[in-house]
mmCIF file of all heavy atoms in Angstrom:
data_model
loop_
_atom_site.group_PDB
_atom_site.id
_atom_site.type_symbol
_atom_site.label_atom_id
_atom_site.label_comp_id
_atom_site.label_asym_id
_atom_site.label_seq_id
_atom_site.Cartn_x
_atom_site.Cartn_y
_atom_site.Cartn_z
ATOM 1 N N ASP B 212 31.895 22.038 -99.060
ATOM 2 C CA ASP B 212 32.208 21.198 -97.910
ATOM 3 C C ASP B 212 33.127 21.839 -96.909
ATOM 4 O O ASP B 212 32.885 21.624 -95.719
ATOM 5 C CB ASP B 212 32.835 19.910 -98.558
ATOM 6 C CG ASP B 212 33.207 19.002 -97.362
ATOM 7 O OD1 ASP B 212 32.340 18.669 -96.477
ATOM 8 O OD2 ASP B 212 34.375 18.678 -97.256
ATOM 9 N N GLN B 215 31.518 24.788 -94.315
ATOM 10 C CA GLN B 215 30.157 24.671 -93.817
ATOM 11 C C GLN B 215 29.986 23.400 -93.056
ATOM 12 O O GLN B 215 30.715 22.519 -93.180
ATOM 13 C CB GLN B 215 29.149 24.674 -95.020
ATOM 14 C CG GLN B 215 29.442 25.729 -96.151
ATOM 15 C CD GLN B 215 29.233 27.079 -95.613
ATOM 16 O OE1 GLN B 215 28.499 27.335 -94.631
ATOM 17 N NE2 GLN B 215 29.916 28.081 -96.241
ATOM 18 N N ALA B 216 28.932 23.354 -92.306
ATOM 19 C CA ALA B 216 28.575 22.004 -91.749
ATOM 20 C C ALA B 216 28.230 21.099 -92.898
ATOM 21 O O ALA B 216 27.715 21.507 -93.883
ATOM 22 C CB ALA B 216 27.385 22.189 -90.792
ATOM 23 N N THR B 217 28.693 19.865 -92.666
ATOM 24 C CA THR B 217 28.547 18.945 -93.737
ATOM 25 C C THR B 217 27.145 18.739 -94.092
ATOM 26 O O THR B 217 26.806 18.592 -95.322
ATOM 27 C CB THR B 217 29.261 17.629 -93.499
ATOM 28 O OG1 THR B 217 30.519 17.952 -92.781
ATOM 29 C CG2 THR B 217 29.456 16.790 -94.695
ATOM 30 N N ASP B 218 26.267 18.656 -93.193
ATOM 31 C CA ASP B 218 24.808 18.456 -93.506
ATOM 32 C C ASP B 218 24.274 19.497 -94.442
ATOM 33 O O ASP B 218 23.458 19.309 -95.264
ATOM 34 C CB ASP B 218 23.978 18.118 -92.350
ATOM 35 C CG ASP B 218 24.131 19.197 -91.334
ATOM 36 O OD1 ASP B 218 25.009 20.162 -91.471
ATOM 37 O OD2 ASP B 218 23.527 19.090 -90.276
ATOM 38 N N GLU B 219 24.837 20.655 -94.132
ATOM 39 C CA GLU B 219 24.422 21.825 -95.035
ATOM 40 C C GLU B 219 24.696 21.615 -96.415
ATOM 41 O O GLU B 219 23.970 21.875 -97.355
ATOM 42 C CB GLU B 219 25.033 23.133 -94.520
ATOM 43 C CG GLU B 219 24.243 24.407 -94.805
ATOM 44 C CD GLU B 219 24.971 25.590 -94.452
ATOM 45 O OE1 GLU B 219 25.219 25.853 -93.321
ATOM 46 O OE2 GLU B 219 25.407 26.350 -95.396
ATOM 47 N N SER B 220 25.908 21.118 -96.602
ATOM 48 C CA SER B 220 26.328 20.819 -97.922
ATOM 49 C C SER B 220 25.648 19.700 -98.621
ATOM 50 O O SER B 220 25.402 19.701 -99.829
ATOM 51 C CB SER B 220 27.922 20.568 -97.936
ATOM 52 O OG SER B 220 28.147 19.245 -97.317
ATOM 53 N N ILE B 221 25.224 18.697 -97.731
ATOM 54 C CA ILE B 221 24.438 17.782 -98.303
ATOM 55 C C ILE B 221 23.133 18.299 -98.831
ATOM 56 O O ILE B 221 22.631 17.938 -99.933
ATOM 57 C CB ILE B 221 24.173 16.632 -97.304
ATOM 58 C CG1 ILE B 221 25.549 15.837 -96.929
ATOM 59 C CG2 ILE B 221 23.231 15.565 -97.767
ATOM 60 C CD1 ILE B 221 25.500 14.922 -95.874
ATOM 61 N N ARG B 222 22.649 19.120 -97.842
ATOM 62 C CA ARG B 222 21.252 19.788 -98.323
ATOM 63 C C ARG B 222 21.434 20.496 -99.616
ATOM 64 O O ARG B 222 20.564 20.490 -100.471
ATOM 65 C CB ARG B 222 20.926 20.760 -97.232
ATOM 66 C CG ARG B 222 19.417 20.652 -96.878
ATOM 67 C CD ARG B 222 19.073 21.700 -95.948
ATOM 68 N NE ARG B 222 19.970 21.854 -94.795
ATOM 69 C CZ ARG B 222 20.529 23.013 -94.323
ATOM 70 N NH1 ARG B 222 20.479 24.049 -95.093
ATOM 71 N NH2 ARG B 222 21.296 23.008 -93.336
ATOM 72 N N SER B 224 23.513 19.985 -102.010
ATOM 73 C CA SER B 224 23.644 18.958 -103.175
ATOM 74 C C SER B 224 22.240 18.450 -103.462
ATOM 75 O O SER B 224 21.838 18.274 -104.536
ATOM 76 C CB SER B 224 24.481 17.847 -102.923
ATOM 77 O OG SER B 224 25.384 18.128 -101.905
ATOM 78 N N TYR B 225 21.483 18.216 -102.296
ATOM 79 C CA TYR B 225 20.057 17.756 -102.641
ATOM 80 C C TYR B 225 19.292 18.785 -103.365
ATOM 81 O O TYR B 225 18.480 18.518 -104.258
ATOM 82 C CB TYR B 225 19.410 17.475 -101.275
ATOM 83 C CG TYR B 225 19.744 16.111 -100.696
ATOM 84 C CD1 TYR B 225 20.299 15.970 -99.465
ATOM 85 C CD2 TYR B 225 19.610 14.892 -101.436
ATOM 86 C CE1 TYR B 225 20.578 14.720 -98.908
ATOM 87 C CE2 TYR B 225 19.914 13.776 -100.899
ATOM 88 C CZ TYR B 225 20.406 13.556 -99.712
ATOM 89 O OH TYR B 225 20.703 12.424 -99.232
ATOM 90 N N GLU B 252 39.763 13.463 -98.688
ATOM 91 C CA GLU B 252 38.904 12.737 -97.696
ATOM 92 C C GLU B 252 37.660 13.523 -97.602
ATOM 93 O O GLU B 252 36.564 12.981 -97.682
ATOM 94 C CB GLU B 252 39.654 12.605 -96.473
ATOM 95 C CG GLU B 252 40.891 11.702 -96.542
ATOM 96 C CD GLU B 252 40.795 10.498 -97.363
ATOM 97 O OE1 GLU B 252 39.893 9.638 -97.150
ATOM 98 O OE2 GLU B 252 41.507 10.472 -98.323
ATOM 99 N N GLU B 253 37.857 14.811 -97.290
ATOM 100 C CA GLU B 253 36.627 15.596 -97.027
ATOM 101 C C GLU B 253 35.733 15.611 -98.290
ATOM 102 O O GLU B 253 34.604 15.436 -98.167
ATOM 103 C CB GLU B 253 37.023 17.041 -96.744
ATOM 104 C CG GLU B 253 37.775 17.110 -95.365
ATOM 105 C CD GLU B 253 37.751 18.514 -94.875
ATOM 106 O OE1 GLU B 253 37.109 19.333 -95.492
ATOM 107 O OE2 GLU B 253 38.386 18.844 -93.976
ATOM 108 N N LEU B 254 36.416 15.813 -99.378
ATOM 109 C CA LEU B 254 35.605 15.916 -100.581
ATOM 110 C C LEU B 254 34.894 14.483 -100.834
ATOM 111 O O LEU B 254 33.735 14.556 -101.127
ATOM 112 C CB LEU B 254 36.568 16.137 -101.767
ATOM 113 C CG LEU B 254 35.785 16.017 -103.226
ATOM 114 C CD1 LEU B 254 34.773 17.052 -103.151
ATOM 115 C CD2 LEU B 254 36.830 16.145 -104.257
ATOM 116 N N GLY B 255 35.698 13.516 -100.640
ATOM 117 C CA GLY B 255 35.084 12.166 -100.692
ATOM 118 C C GLY B 255 33.912 12.063 -99.811
ATOM 119 O O GLY B 255 32.912 11.476 -100.196
ATOM 120 N N GLY B 256 34.133 12.529 -98.570
ATOM 121 C CA GLY B 256 33.106 12.469 -97.622
ATOM 122 C C GLY B 256 31.815 13.085 -97.992
ATOM 123 O O GLY B 256 30.728 12.554 -98.116
ATOM 124 N N ASP B 257 32.076 14.410 -98.394
ATOM 125 C CA ASP B 257 30.873 15.201 -98.855
ATOM 126 C C ASP B 257 30.261 14.463 -100.022
ATOM 127 O O ASP B 257 29.038 14.238 -100.045
ATOM 128 C CB ASP B 257 31.295 16.558 -99.248
ATOM 129 C CG ASP B 257 30.178 17.368 -99.782
ATOM 130 O OD1 ASP B 257 29.125 17.240 -99.359
ATOM 131 O OD2 ASP B 257 30.472 17.900 -100.809
ATOM 132 N N ALA B 258 31.062 14.263 -101.011
ATOM 133 C CA ALA B 258 30.544 13.719 -102.211
ATOM 134 C C ALA B 258 29.851 12.346 -102.076
ATOM 135 O O ALA B 258 28.766 12.265 -102.594
ATOM 136 C CB ALA B 258 31.774 13.509 -103.243
ATOM 137 N N ALA B 259 30.395 11.600 -101.326
ATOM 138 C CA ALA B 259 29.754 10.194 -101.250
ATOM 139 C C ALA B 259 28.408 10.429 -100.514
ATOM 140 O O ALA B 259 27.458 9.699 -101.035
ATOM 141 C CB ALA B 259 30.707 9.258 -100.442
ATOM 142 N N ALA B 260 28.392 11.183 -99.548
ATOM 143 C CA ALA B 260 27.053 11.283 -98.878
ATOM 144 C C ALA B 260 26.091 11.916 -99.854
ATOM 145 O O ALA B 260 24.957 11.480 -99.852
ATOM 146 C CB ALA B 260 27.247 12.190 -97.652
ATOM 147 N N ALA B 261 26.656 12.888 -100.527
ATOM 148 C CA ALA B 261 25.685 13.454 -101.504
ATOM 149 C C ALA B 261 25.386 12.416 -102.629
ATOM 150 O O ALA B 261 24.247 12.242 -103.020
ATOM 151 C CB ALA B 261 26.434 14.645 -102.204
ATOM 152 N N ALA B 262 26.400 11.714 -103.023
ATOM 153 C CA ALA B 262 26.189 10.742 -104.110
ATOM 154 C C ALA B 262 25.136 9.686 -103.645
ATOM 155 O O ALA B 262 24.382 9.186 -104.380
ATOM 156 C CB ALA B 262 27.498 9.942 -104.275
ATOM 157 N N ALA B 263 25.071 9.406 -102.326
ATOM 158 C CA ALA B 263 24.177 8.509 -101.781
ATOM 159 C C ALA B 263 22.788 8.860 -102.186
ATOM 160 O O ALA B 263 21.847 7.979 -102.158
ATOM 161 C CB ALA B 263 24.361 8.289 -100.333
ATOM 162 N N TYR B 294 28.399 4.758 -107.452
ATOM 163 C CA TYR B 294 29.477 5.167 -106.659
ATOM 164 C C TYR B 294 30.318 4.151 -106.223
ATOM 165 O O TYR B 294 31.568 4.333 -105.855
ATOM 166 C CB TYR B 294 28.974 5.929 -105.483
ATOM 167 C CG TYR B 294 30.110 6.489 -104.562
ATOM 168 C CD1 TYR B 294 30.928 7.361 -105.139
ATOM 169 C CD2 TYR B 294 30.254 5.932 -103.396
ATOM 170 C CE1 TYR B 294 32.131 7.756 -104.412
ATOM 171 C CE2 TYR B 294 31.384 6.360 -102.556
ATOM 172 C CZ TYR B 294 32.255 7.340 -103.156
ATOM 173 O OH TYR B 294 33.264 7.726 -102.357
ATOM 174 N N VAL B 328 22.667 3.461 -94.212
ATOM 175 C CA VAL B 328 23.679 4.595 -93.831
ATOM 176 C C VAL B 328 23.138 5.969 -93.953
ATOM 177 O O VAL B 328 23.307 6.910 -93.154
ATOM 178 C CB VAL B 328 25.029 4.321 -94.704
ATOM 179 C CG1 VAL B 328 25.955 5.498 -94.530
ATOM 180 C CG2 VAL B 328 25.579 3.020 -94.465
ATOM 181 N N LYS B 329 22.312 6.164 -95.059
ATOM 182 C CA LYS B 329 21.847 7.474 -95.261
ATOM 183 C C LYS B 329 20.950 7.880 -94.079
ATOM 184 O O LYS B 329 21.042 9.130 -93.555
ATOM 185 C CB LYS B 329 20.979 7.547 -96.431
ATOM 186 C CG LYS B 329 21.745 7.829 -97.657
ATOM 187 C CD LYS B 329 21.056 7.400 -98.973
ATOM 188 C CE LYS B 329 19.772 8.205 -99.284
ATOM 189 N NZ LYS B 329 19.131 7.814 -100.502
ATOM 190 N N MET B 330 20.189 6.938 -93.593
ATOM 191 C CA MET B 330 19.374 7.145 -92.471
ATOM 192 C C MET B 330 20.121 7.442 -91.092
ATOM 193 O O MET B 330 19.788 8.515 -90.450
ATOM 194 C CB MET B 330 18.465 5.932 -92.153
ATOM 195 C CG MET B 330 17.302 5.815 -93.052
ATOM 196 S SD MET B 330 15.818 6.086 -92.080
ATOM 197 C CE MET B 330 15.824 4.581 -91.128
ATOM 198 N N MET B 331 21.132 6.758 -90.917
ATOM 199 C CA MET B 331 21.954 7.032 -89.788
ATOM 200 C C MET B 331 22.556 8.457 -89.825
ATOM 201 O O MET B 331 22.572 9.090 -88.866
ATOM 202 C CB MET B 331 23.083 5.931 -89.708
ATOM 203 C CG MET B 331 22.635 4.601 -89.281
ATOM 204 S SD MET B 331 23.923 3.737 -88.479
ATOM 205 C CE MET B 331 24.997 3.399 -89.786
ATOM 206 N N VAL B 332 22.950 8.837 -91.006
ATOM 207 C CA VAL B 332 23.580 10.140 -91.201
ATOM 208 C C VAL B 332 22.422 11.209 -90.904
ATOM 209 O O VAL B 332 22.632 12.077 -90.191
ATOM 210 C CB VAL B 332 24.216 10.334 -92.573
ATOM 211 C CG1 VAL B 332 24.474 11.774 -92.754
ATOM 212 C CG2 VAL B 332 25.426 9.440 -92.742
ATOM 213 N N LYS B 333 21.244 10.869 -91.457
ATOM 214 C CA LYS B 333 20.162 11.844 -91.438
ATOM 215 C C LYS B 333 19.840 12.128 -89.968
ATOM 216 O O LYS B 333 19.534 13.280 -89.530
ATOM 217 C CB LYS B 333 18.939 11.402 -92.217
ATOM 218 C CG LYS B 333 17.812 12.264 -92.242
ATOM 219 C CD LYS B 333 16.793 11.695 -93.068
ATOM 220 C CE LYS B 333 15.483 12.410 -92.983
ATOM 221 N NZ LYS B 333 14.279 11.805 -93.421
ATOM 222 N N TYR B 334 19.826 11.099 -89.269
ATOM 223 C CA TYR B 334 19.337 11.177 -87.786
ATOM 224 C C TYR B 334 20.593 11.457 -86.862
ATOM 225 O O TYR B 334 20.436 11.486 -85.659
ATOM 226 C CB TYR B 334 18.581 9.897 -87.297
ATOM 227 C CG TYR B 334 17.272 9.836 -88.074
ATOM 228 C CD1 TYR B 334 16.958 8.904 -88.880
ATOM 229 C CD2 TYR B 334 16.382 10.902 -87.848
ATOM 230 C CE1 TYR B 334 15.731 8.856 -89.463
ATOM 231 C CE2 TYR B 334 15.115 10.838 -88.459
ATOM 232 C CZ TYR B 334 14.808 9.810 -89.322
ATOM 233 O OH TYR B 334 13.592 9.814 -89.978
ATOM 234 N N GLY B 335 21.675 11.607 -87.499
ATOM 235 C CA GLY B 335 22.861 12.094 -86.647
ATOM 236 C C GLY B 335 23.481 10.985 -85.834
ATOM 237 O O GLY B 335 24.217 11.316 -84.943
ATOM 238 N N THR B 336 23.107 9.853 -86.078
ATOM 239 C CA THR B 336 23.769 8.648 -85.337
ATOM 240 C C THR B 336 25.105 8.558 -85.673
ATOM 241 O O THR B 336 25.976 8.299 -84.801
ATOM 242 C CB THR B 336 23.062 7.319 -85.737
ATOM 243 O OG1 THR B 336 21.688 7.522 -85.728
ATOM 244 C CG2 THR B 336 23.477 6.234 -84.769
ATOM 245 N N ILE B 337 25.532 8.799 -86.901
ATOM 246 C CA ILE B 337 26.927 8.887 -87.312
ATOM 247 C C ILE B 337 27.123 10.103 -88.040
ATOM 248 O O ILE B 337 26.138 10.738 -88.605
ATOM 249 C CB ILE B 337 27.453 7.640 -88.128
ATOM 250 C CG1 ILE B 337 26.572 7.580 -89.437
ATOM 251 C CG2 ILE B 337 27.196 6.422 -87.328
ATOM 252 C CD1 ILE B 337 27.002 6.454 -90.316
ATOM 253 N N THR B 338 28.321 10.582 -88.177
ATOM 254 C CA THR B 338 28.650 11.764 -88.948
ATOM 255 C C THR B 338 28.723 11.368 -90.439
ATOM 256 O O THR B 338 28.904 10.117 -90.732
ATOM 257 C CB THR B 338 30.019 12.402 -88.542
ATOM 258 O OG1 THR B 338 30.972 11.587 -88.972
ATOM 259 C CG2 THR B 338 29.939 12.695 -87.044
ATOM 260 N N PRO B 339 28.435 12.304 -91.316
ATOM 261 C CA PRO B 339 28.561 11.949 -92.706
ATOM 262 C C PRO B 339 29.890 11.296 -93.043
ATOM 263 O O PRO B 339 29.922 10.457 -93.866
ATOM 264 C CB PRO B 339 28.373 13.350 -93.385
ATOM 265 C CG PRO B 339 27.554 14.071 -92.475
ATOM 266 C CD PRO B 339 28.042 13.605 -91.030
ATOM 267 N N GLU B 340 30.897 11.826 -92.402
ATOM 268 C CA GLU B 340 32.255 11.298 -92.725
ATOM 269 C C GLU B 340 32.338 9.842 -92.381
ATOM 270 O O GLU B 340 32.916 8.961 -93.118
ATOM 271 C CB GLU B 340 33.325 12.095 -92.055
ATOM 272 C CG GLU B 340 33.687 13.454 -92.568
ATOM 273 C CD GLU B 340 32.972 14.479 -91.763
ATOM 274 O OE1 GLU B 340 32.402 14.071 -90.690
ATOM 275 O OE2 GLU B 340 32.957 15.643 -92.113
ATOM 276 N N GLU B 341 31.796 9.531 -91.238
ATOM 277 C CA GLU B 341 31.837 8.112 -90.816
ATOM 278 C C GLU B 341 30.970 7.307 -91.832
ATOM 279 O O GLU B 341 31.447 6.241 -92.291
ATOM 280 C CB GLU B 341 31.209 7.995 -89.445
ATOM 281 C CG GLU B 341 32.179 8.318 -88.309
ATOM 282 C CD GLU B 341 31.581 8.408 -86.981
ATOM 283 O OE1 GLU B 341 30.506 9.064 -86.870
ATOM 284 O OE2 GLU B 341 32.002 7.732 -86.051
ATOM 285 N N GLY B 342 29.916 7.887 -92.201
ATOM 286 C CA GLY B 342 29.094 7.131 -93.154
ATOM 287 C C GLY B 342 29.843 6.872 -94.446
ATOM 288 O O GLY B 342 29.762 5.721 -94.967
ATOM 289 N N VAL B 343 30.411 7.883 -94.906
ATOM 290 C CA VAL B 343 31.149 7.830 -96.159
ATOM 291 C C VAL B 343 32.192 6.751 -96.050
ATOM 292 O O VAL B 343 32.420 5.925 -96.828
ATOM 293 C CB VAL B 343 31.669 9.143 -96.563
ATOM 294 C CG1 VAL B 343 32.797 8.996 -97.574
ATOM 295 C CG2 VAL B 343 30.659 10.044 -97.035
ATOM 296 N N SER B 344 32.976 6.814 -94.907
ATOM 297 C CA SER B 344 34.063 5.962 -94.809
ATOM 298 C C SER B 344 33.591 4.523 -94.671
ATOM 299 O O SER B 344 34.208 3.533 -95.144
ATOM 300 C CB SER B 344 34.970 6.290 -93.655
ATOM 301 O OG SER B 344 34.431 5.882 -92.499
ATOM 302 N N TYR B 345 32.390 4.293 -94.065
ATOM 303 C CA TYR B 345 31.908 2.882 -94.033
ATOM 304 C C TYR B 345 31.647 2.440 -95.468
ATOM 305 O O TYR B 345 32.092 1.339 -95.884
ATOM 306 C CB TYR B 345 30.545 2.861 -93.397
ATOM 307 C CG TYR B 345 30.569 3.018 -91.860
ATOM 308 C CD1 TYR B 345 29.562 3.667 -91.203
ATOM 309 C CD2 TYR B 345 31.640 2.555 -91.153
ATOM 310 C CE1 TYR B 345 29.492 3.770 -89.839
ATOM 311 C CE2 TYR B 345 31.743 2.811 -89.797
ATOM 312 C CZ TYR B 345 30.567 3.392 -89.163
ATOM 313 O OH TYR B 345 30.651 3.454 -87.827
ATOM 314 N N LEU B 346 31.068 3.384 -96.283
ATOM 315 C CA LEU B 346 30.788 2.942 -97.620
ATOM 316 C C LEU B 346 32.008 2.650 -98.453
ATOM 317 O O LEU B 346 32.128 1.838 -99.274
ATOM 318 C CB LEU B 346 29.827 3.992 -98.297
ATOM 319 C CG LEU B 346 28.445 4.081 -97.649
ATOM 320 C CD1 LEU B 346 27.699 5.203 -98.119
ATOM 321 C CD2 LEU B 346 27.660 2.782 -97.765
ATOM 322 N N GLU B 347 32.968 3.649 -98.351
ATOM 323 C CA GLU B 347 34.181 3.509 -99.033
ATOM 324 C C GLU B 347 34.875 2.165 -98.692
ATOM 325 O O GLU B 347 35.295 1.503 -99.621
ATOM 326 C CB GLU B 347 35.187 4.674 -98.742
ATOM 327 C CG GLU B 347 34.890 5.959 -99.494
ATOM 328 C CD GLU B 347 35.929 6.999 -99.287
ATOM 329 O OE1 GLU B 347 36.621 6.874 -98.200
ATOM 330 O OE2 GLU B 347 36.002 7.863 -99.980
ATOM 331 N N SER B 446 35.872 13.403 -83.854
ATOM 332 C CA SER B 446 36.168 14.412 -84.711
ATOM 333 C C SER B 446 36.987 15.537 -84.220
ATOM 334 O O SER B 446 37.752 16.047 -84.899
ATOM 335 C CB SER B 446 34.822 14.939 -85.235
ATOM 336 O OG SER B 446 34.057 15.584 -84.335
ATOM 337 N N LYS B 449 40.493 14.143 -84.331
ATOM 338 C CA LYS B 449 40.960 14.203 -85.621
ATOM 339 C C LYS B 449 41.349 15.607 -85.998
ATOM 340 O O LYS B 449 42.423 15.724 -86.622
ATOM 341 C CB LYS B 449 39.763 13.725 -86.655
ATOM 342 C CG LYS B 449 40.279 13.703 -88.064
ATOM 343 C CD LYS B 449 39.008 13.309 -88.910
ATOM 344 C CE LYS B 449 39.333 13.512 -90.404
ATOM 345 N NZ LYS B 449 39.680 14.848 -90.809
ATOM 346 N N SER B 478 41.128 9.807 -90.809
ATOM 347 C CA SER B 478 39.749 10.105 -91.491
ATOM 348 C C SER B 478 39.127 8.803 -91.809
ATOM 349 O O SER B 478 37.871 8.741 -92.095
ATOM 350 C CB SER B 478 39.875 11.076 -92.681
ATOM 351 O OG SER B 478 40.891 10.715 -93.434
ATOM 352 N N SER B 479 39.862 7.748 -91.851
ATOM 353 C CA SER B 479 39.121 6.500 -92.240
ATOM 354 C C SER B 479 38.577 5.791 -90.891
ATOM 355 O O SER B 479 37.933 4.826 -91.050
ATOM 356 C CB SER B 479 40.117 5.525 -92.840
ATOM 357 O OG SER B 479 40.981 4.919 -91.934
ATOM 358 N N LEU B 480 38.746 6.407 -89.787
ATOM 359 C CA LEU B 480 38.317 5.801 -88.597
ATOM 360 C C LEU B 480 36.773 6.011 -88.412
ATOM 361 O O LEU B 480 36.316 7.099 -88.760
ATOM 362 C CB LEU B 480 39.013 6.379 -87.353
ATOM 363 C CG LEU B 480 40.477 5.992 -87.394
ATOM 364 C CD1 LEU B 480 41.208 6.821 -86.147
ATOM 365 C CD2 LEU B 480 40.600 4.509 -87.054
#
Side-chain angles (χ1 to χ4, degrees):
Chain B
D212 178 55
Q215 316 295 337
T217 315
D218 50 358
E219 204 187 291
S220 65
I221 293 175
R222 220 185 313 127
S224 339
Y225 280 126
E252 301 313 305
E253 291 198 7
L254 173 62
D257 169 48
Y294 179 61
V328 172
K329 273 160 69 176
M330 280 249 289
M331 286 208 290
V332 170
K333 182 173 166 197
Y334 290 115
T336 312
I337 60 176
T338 67
E340 287 96 10
E341 280 171 307
V343 164
S344 79
Y345 288 149
L346 296 173
E347 276 185 345
S446 61
K449 176 183 175 303
S478 40
S479 75
L480 292 171

